[in-house]
Amino acid sequence: MSYLDSVQQFWSMLNNRELAALIWIAAAVLWAFSKKSMRESLVGIVRGFLKPRVLIPLVAMLAWVGLELLIGVRLALWNLVLAKGTILWTLGSAGALLFNCAQIDSDGSDLRFFRRTILATVGVAAFVEFFVNLYVMSLVAELGFQIVVTVLSLMVVVADQKPEYKSAKVFCERVLALIGLALFVLTARQIYLHWQQLNVTDVLLDFALPVWLTIGLVPFLYLFSIFLAYDAAFRRINWEASDRRARWRSGLALLSVLRFRTHTVRRFTGYGYFSRKLGEAQTFTAARGVIAEFQDVLRRTEQAKIDEEDRLKRYCGSLELDAYGRRLDRREFAETIAALQWLATCQMGWYRRESRYRTDMLDMLGDDFRNQGLPKKSGIKLYVAQDGQSWYAWRQTVTGWYFAIAATGPPPDQWMYDGPEPPTGFPGEDSSWGDGPFSNLVNRNWR
């Protein structure tokens, strides 16, 4: 079979929905290539994929998938009819999983990532997606359907960033839900009317394909995540160690103690102190001792978190104070302090650039302090003077206690306050801020 015949055969296997998607993708690519800046970006992306650090894992994954297919043929789970689905799964789901490997242990549990990965392939959403693809409309209808869904989805994403567009976001989400429901009902009707024409065996094999391919890919992803973790750790060690012997000694010590605990290996990489100390170790035993010390610090840190969580639960709703006059019910205290300090850092950076504080800094940050532990809509209130030379912000925690931060002049001027009521003005106007920055009488709970 010639190359042209192979292309024509594969093209004939595509349904109208897939053809419509390819047409829109091709149109987007052609549009991108018509713009010089986009063309340069695309060329940069292609070059990035051709780098050994990206290309080798891709080739290794393709080889692993090939091994899966060979086993699938032996078990009668795969045949050439499933080639299209296999290619689409490899380009989509498998590629995404490979490049998300760096986040496998982001929550501290490798197994949790793999559990989510497998459940996602057999969950309700996966079934609904497969079900509605059993019936497709005409090519023209699919082209219109996909552009409408894409526009509505983009509108939801954009509206989610602006609170004033909340009603538009809700409207678009409801329209998308109605479209999905209509598509589901239409597919169910077509299946009912043409049940006799449906090859149940092929349908079941097609549905099972992404499930067993994903499950089979999990061991490769796990091994690759280990490689990524140790690659980063060894690079840090090579930077810190003085010679090749020290690098080998440090690397072997790390591997012998931490083994396949990728989350712990990644955390070790983030501790510059222990990386330097490991590189300076003169013997293999001393190097293992450094890692043991790191593990002890890690255990004590984790225990401190557990103790803090227990303390928060124990004093939930309490009005008691400790020996230093600080509240014992400290729910959201640390998160609120971290968010206000980040806001202050951003304001200081803007002042050094523009010689004034920014009035819409919260909007610029998207009011997003999830990295500091607060919900998407933080509840922070920001006030900036008309001349831009002073500002303050406050937030109420779930305990009803308020935290506030302010500046009345150029950086590093900073005022901090916490109390039962929010400040009602700038420092100097409102006495609740105390008699000067960092007044110990009005910010006890900041420590």
Side-chain angles (χ1 to χ4, degrees):
M1 182 183 296
S2 67
Y3 172 76
L4 183 60
D5 291 336
S6 300
V7 172
Q8 289 176 341
Q9 182 177 358
F10 178 74
W11 189 265
S12 65
M13 294 171 63
L14 299 177
N15 60 38
N16 287 337
R17 186 161 298 155
E18 292 157 350
L19 285 173
L22 284 176
I23 290 172
W24 285 122
I25 291 172
V29 171
L30 289 174
W31 173 83
F33 270 101
S34 69
K35 308 290 184 181
K36 184 178 179 180
S37 58
M38 295 290 291
R39 195 161 55 242
E40 292 173 349
S41 298
L42 289 173
V43 170
I45 292 173
V46 172
R47 287 176 177 171
F49 270 90
L50 294 178
K51 290 182 178 179
R53 286 178 58 82
V54 177
L55 190 60
I56 292 175
L58 277 175
V59 172
M61 186 195 73
L62 291 176
W64 186 280
V65 172
L67 180 62
E68 286 189 79
L69 296 181
L70 182 61
I71 297 173
V73 171
R74 297 291 179 88
L75 298 177
L77 291 174
W78 193 87
N79 53 58
L80 286 176
V81 176
L82 300 172
K84 179 191 70 175
T86 304
I87 294 173
L88 294 176
W89 174 85
T90 304
L91 294 176
S93 300
L97 289 171
L98 178 69
F99 289 105
N100 282 331
C101 262
Q103 301 174 5
I104 279 182
D105 60 330
S106 60
D107 60 356
S109 172
D110 303 336
L111 294 178
R112 198 171 300 170
F113 169 84
F114 298 119
R115 192 184 306 123
R116 287 198 307 267
T117 299
I118 294 172
L119 289 177
T121 64
V122 296
V124 175
F127 171 76
V128 170
E129 181 182 356
F130 172 80
F131 182 80
V132 297
N133 282 320
L134 290 176
Y135 170 75
V136 296
M137 299 173 285
S138 66
L139 181 58
V140 174
E142 286 292 342
L143 287 168
F145 165 74
Q146 291 189 17
I147 194 64
V148 169
V149 170
T150 301
V151 170
L152 288 171
S153 300
L154 290 174
M155 289 175 66
V156 169
V157 173
V158 173
D160 189 49
Q161 307 301 318
K162 301 288 184 179
E164 60 268 27
Y165 296 151
K166 183 178 180 180
S167 58
K169 174 177 177 289
V170 172
F171 173 77
C172 292
E173 288 176 336
R174 289 176 179 175
V175 173
L176 286 170
L178 288 174
I179 291 174
L181 179 61
L183 197 60
F184 188 90
V185 171
L186 181 61
T187 302
R189 179 179 179 275
Q190 292 298 318
I191 291 175
Y192 174 76
L193 293 176
H194 305 286
W195 176 257
Q196 299 300 329
Q197 302 173 16
L198 201 64
N199 189 320
V200 177
T201 302
D202 287 346
V203 170
L204 290 177
L205 285 175
D206 200 20
F207 176 73
L209 179 68
V211 176
W212 64 262
L213 281 176
T214 302
I215 293 174
L217 189 62
V218 163
F220 174 82
L221 295 175
Y222 179 62
L223 293 173
F224 186 58
S225 72
I226 294 174
F227 167 78
L228 288 176
Y230 274 102
D231 181 61
F234 291 160
R235 286 174 180 273
R236 183 64 183 263
I237 289 171
N238 290 344
W239 177 265
E240 301 291 351
S242 56
D243 55 57
R244 180 176 296 181
R245 180 176 296 180
R247 292 166 187 164
W248 276 99
R249 180 170 57 241
S250 301
L252 289 174
L254 188 69
L255 186 61
S256 68
V257 177
L258 300 186
R259 299 186 180 90
F260 303 122
R261 296 192 290 273
T262 57
H263 176 67
T264 308
V265 176
R266 291 186 193 278
R267 295 192 67 177
F268 179 86
T269 307
Y271 279 74
Y273 167 76
F274 286 106
S275 296
R276 287 191 295 274
K277 196 170 181 181
L278 181 62
E280 295 169 357
Q282 299 299 310
T283 65
F284 184 71
T285 301
R288 285 175 57 90
V290 171
I291 302 168
E293 182 185 352
F294 159 74
Q295 288 181 299
D296 184 58
V297 169
L298 215 57
R299 279 191 292 268
R300 285 190 276 113
T301 301
E302 294 298 328
Q303 187 59 49
K305 289 182 180 179
I306 294 172
D307 293 342
E308 177 65 13
E309 291 174 0
D310 290 341
R311 192 187 66 78
L312 290 175
K313 292 177 182 177
R314 188 184 319 127
Y315 293 108
C316 179
S318 173
L319 298 178
E320 297 178 69
L321 304 177
D322 65 11
Y324 300 98
R326 299 175 298 191
R327 290 173 62 87
L328 292 177
D329 183 3
R330 299 180 62 84
R331 287 172 295 154
E332 287 193 346
F333 280 23
E335 296 84 351
T336 301
I337 290 170
L340 291 175
Q341 287 177 332
W342 173 239
L343 178 61
T345 299
C346 294
Q347 286 284 39
M348 283 191 287
W350 188 260
Y351 191 98
R352 291 190 175 104
R353 173 183 169 182
E354 302 292 336
S355 298
R356 61 177 292 122
Y357 294 112
R358 184 161 181 154
T359 58
D360 60 345
M361 182 59 74
L362 281 178
D363 292 335
M364 182 181 178
L365 297 174
D367 195 17
D368 188 354
F369 295 90
R370 284 176 291 183
N371 287 338
Q372 287 72 33
L374 295 183
K376 178 64 170 68
K377 304 303 179 184
S378 67
I380 294 176
K381 307 298 180 183
L382 173 64
Y383 304 88
V384 181
Q386 289 184 351
D387 61 4
Q389 298 306 301
S390 57
W391 71 279
Y392 74 95
W394 57 263
R395 181 181 185 272
Q396 183 183 26
T397 67
V398 292
T399 68
W401 202 253
Y402 292 86
F403 284 83
I405 196 166
T408 58
D413 183 76
Q414 191 171 94
W415 300 63
M416 294 179 295
Y417 159 83
D418 68 83
E421 299 291 338
T424 57
F426 295 93
E429 299 176 359
D430 183 357
S431 60
S432 60
W433 289 98
D435 55 7
F438 310 107
S439 173
N440 292 330
L441 298 177
V442 296
N443 58 22
R444 288 191 176 96
N445 292 285
W446 278 76
R447 297 178 293 279

